[in-house]
Amino acid sequence: MSIEEFIDNEVKSNDVVLFMKGTPQFPQCGFSGQVVQILDHLGVGYKGLNVLESAELRNGIKVYSNWPTIPQLYVKGEFVGGCDIVREMFQAGELQQLFSDKGVAVNAAA
């Protein structure tokens, strides 16, 4: 399986996927950490993939999305954006609406 096929499979077989530096339990960059905090605050279940474990994955996700930075958030197979976009969407209530529209459960208190 090529890296493109692996990424495509992860994005399409998980409702919410975060390509990040580090893990959800131990983010290894501030931007990845911010997105983890937002997703955890919303109570959204997601799969975190650590791009630091593989240069092939780190480079492959940038090619796959045509987006130069990490982290990258995908919801139901759709690329949402990186840290700044996710943070701005969250602050405006748009991220919560996106999850709702896509049928992804969020914590009602969020």
Side-chain angles (χ1 to χ4, degrees), residues 1-14 16-20 47 49-51 54-67 70 72-74 76-79:
M1 180 184 293
S2 74
I3 193 65
E4 291 82 15
E5 290 169 327
F6 171 79
I7 292 168
D8 196 53
N9 182 60
E10 290 295 327
V11 165
K12 291 180 176 164
S13 62
N14 295 286
V16 183
V17 182
L18 179 62
F19 292 87
M20 62 181 295
K47 181 170 187 177
L49 292 169
N50 183 359
V51 301
S54 160
E56 190 179 25
L57 179 59
R58 186 168 55 251
N59 295 323
I61 190 59
K62 294 175 185 180
V63 171
Y64 181 85
S65 63
N66 196 26
W67 190 261
I70 307 291
Q72 294 185 15
L73 181 66
Y74 289 80
K76 297 277 186 159
E78 178 185 327
F79 176 56

Side-chain angles (χ1 to χ4, degrees), residues 43-103:
V44 172
Y46 62 97
K47 181 170 187 177
L49 292 169
N50 183 359
V51 301
L52 297 178
E53 291 179 347
S54 160
E56 190 179 25
L57 179 59
R58 186 168 55 251
N59 295 323
I61 190 59
K62 294 175 185 180
V63 171
Y64 181 85
S65 63
N66 196 26
W67 190 261
T69 59
I70 307 291
Q72 294 185 15
L73 181 66
Y74 289 80
V75 177
K76 297 277 186 159
E78 178 185 327
F79 176 56
V80 176
C83 178
D84 291 346
I85 291 169
V86 170
R87 186 179 58 241
E88 289 167 14
M89 287 179 70
F90 169 71
Q91 289 170 342
E94 295 167 4
L95 187 62
Q96 298 86 321
Q97 188 62 51
L98 174 72
F99 286 130
S100 177
D101 292 348
K102 297 276 188 182

